[in-house]
Amino acid sequence: MGDFRAFVMTLLAFDALIVVVGSLVLPPDPASQVFLIAPALLTAPVFAWWLVYRDGFARLQGAVESDDDGE
C-alpha cells in the first residue's frame, strides 16, 4: 500500500473512532460535541502523518514485540 493511501486510511479510521467515541461519551448537546470533537478531528491528521510518514507503526510494532519477548 502506498504511503498516501495508508495516510488516508489511517486518517479515516481516526476520524471514525473520534466521532463514535465522542458521540457515546459526550452529552447529546450539539455545542459540546462541536467544541470537543472538532479539535480532535483537527489533530487526527497530525497523528496519522506521524504513524505513516515517521514510522510510528514500526515503533508501535517494535514496542509490542519487545513486550512479548519479556514474558
Side-chain angles (χ1 to χ4, degrees):
M1 182 180 331
D3 284 343
F4 182 71
R5 186 172 178 190
F7 173 75
V8 170
M9 295 302 290
T10 304
L11 183 60
L12 289 175
F14 274 145
D15 289 346
L17 183 70
I18 289 167
V19 170
V20 169
V21 171
S23 65
L24 292 174
V25 174
L26 298 173
D29 171 31
S32 65
Q33 288 187 358
V34 167
F35 285 122
L36 294 174
I37 290 178
L41 289 176
L42 292 174
T43 58
V46 174
F47 291 115
W49 175 81
W50 178 77
L51 286 171
V52 174
Y53 292 108
R54 288 300 199 193
D55 296 328
F57 282 126
R59 292 178 190 176
L60 291 174
Q61 183 179 6
V64 169
E65 288 175 357
S66 67
D67 287 346
D68 290 341
D69 293 339
E71 292 180 8

